[in-house]
Amino acid sequence: MAEYDTIRTVGVSGARAAQIDEGLRAHMNKVYGTMSVGMLITALAAWAFAGLSVTSDPSQAAAQLGPDMYLTSLGHAIFVSPLKWIIMFAPLAFVFGLSAMINRMSAATAQLVFYAFAAVMGLSLSSIFLVYTTTSIAQVFLITAIAFAGLSLYGYTTKKDLSGWGTFLMMGLIGLIVASVVNIFLASSAMTFAISVIGVLIFAGLTAYDTQKIKNTYIQMAMHGDQEWLGKAAIMGALSLYLDFINMFLMLLQLFGNRE
């Protein structure tokens, strides 16, 4: 996706513009590469913890999950005990912590924190393997990947300014979070469906918006040549797109996933 020509910076010579274009391609490749490694860590962690959480041997069971399916002690701790609330909110703490402390970290440290966050997110998402069939998870993941690629490509190549989308999308995201919290208590299937549909649209818009924002931020800051800052910017860009992908995947899984 980063192989397309970029917009030229006004007032920059041709040689300098070409240098910025080359740097931008490398920057975007680092963003997508870091995000992809994070996704792989998340997938492996979710699969591994799900596998360790379930057993068919009643003698090793801490709780029964279904016919011939039991939770191990680890599974009981992750999904049933009060520890589940810590696991649920730990990724959020990582996001806020990384955003708040990024300026005090080196780019290498920020990257390690991002990968640790991806592993914790995998632990948090491991329950999807207990709720949905593996086939439907794979199918929805593929659908999400195709949609994400198209939306990110649009955000990268479009000449349209998407900055105006930011306020609207953030308001929609806040409303989505509030509605999701309320629905924890209401447990309304109709509301769950509406949240999922609206969520897909919001995170689709955020994917294009965030991609263009990452691109424009690089173009604006490349003039200063601060490589350490650009390294941190690549990590934060990867985090933004990672969150867009994960949330769009979860919304689509609620819509199209086949339950066990």
Side-chain angles (χ1 to χ4, degrees):
M1 282 180 281
E3 296 300 324
Y4 285 80
D5 290 337
T6 66
I7 57 175
R8 300 294 177 176
T9 306
V10 177
V12 177
S13 65
R16 180 56 178 156
Q19 185 180 6
I20 292 176
D21 281 352
E22 183 179 354
L24 176 60
R25 286 193 289 271
H27 181 75
M28 295 303 295
N29 286 335
K30 183 174 182 179
V31 169
Y32 290 122
T34 302
M35 173 197 162
S36 298
V37 173
M39 292 296 305
L40 179 60
I41 292 172
T42 297
L44 291 176
W47 178 79
F49 279 110
L52 293 171
S53 298
V54 179
T55 180
S56 58
D57 185 357
S59 64
Q60 300 179 12
Q64 186 167 6
L65 188 63
D68 298 322
M69 185 180 292
Y70 304 88
L71 286 177
T72 63
S73 297
L74 176 62
H76 186 273
I78 293 174
F79 304 122
V80 180
S81 77
L83 181 61
K84 69 179 181 180
W85 298 107
I86 296 176
I87 294 172
M88 184 183 302
F89 291 106
L92 191 61
F94 264 91
V95 171
F96 284 124
L98 181 57
S99 300
M101 300 179 64
I102 186 71
N103 291 329
R104 306 177 196 174
M105 300 178 182
S106 66
T109 300
Q111 188 167 13
L112 289 176
V113 173
F114 171 73
Y115 291 151
F117 157 74
V120 173
M121 179 64 84
L123 172 59
S124 177
L125 294 179
S126 58
S127 61
I128 66 174
F129 286 95
L130 309 184
V131 178
Y132 300 96
T133 64
T134 303
T135 300
S136 69
I137 291 173
Q139 290 173 341
V140 172
F141 184 88
L142 179 60
I143 292 171
T144 307
I146 294 172
F148 177 88
L151 290 162
S152 192
L153 178 61
Y154 170 76
Y156 185 81
T157 58
T158 184
K159 298 299 187 289
K160 181 179 179 180
D161 182 10
L162 304 182
S163 60
W165 292 15
T167 302
F168 173 78
L169 290 170
M170 289 309 299
M171 290 176 60
L173 182 58
I174 293 171
L176 191 71
I177 294 172
V178 172
S180 298
V181 171
V182 170
N183 200 41
I184 291 177
F185 303 98
L186 296 180
S188 168
S189 58
M191 192 169 181
T192 298
F193 178 81
I195 289 172
S196 299
V197 172
I198 296 171
V200 169
L201 297 176
I202 289 174
F203 289 109
L206 281 170
T207 298
Y209 169 80
D210 285 335
T211 301
Q212 187 180 83
K213 183 179 178 181
I214 293 167
K215 172 185 174 181
N216 290 342
T217 299
Y218 177 88
I219 293 173
Q220 293 167 7
M221 298 304 297
M223 301 297 295
H224 300 288
D226 187 345
Q227 294 303 313
E228 181 68 14
W229 186 92
L230 291 174
K232 295 178 184 179
I235 303 302
M236 294 308 295
L239 176 63
S240 296
L241 294 181
Y242 171 97
L243 291 172
D244 294 337
F245 186 103
I246 287 291
N247 282 289
M248 185 160 55
F249 165 71
L250 291 175
M251 297 298 173
L252 287 171
L253 190 61
Q254 288 184 22
L255 291 172
F256 303 114
N258 294 324
R259 293 179 177 270
E260 294 279 11

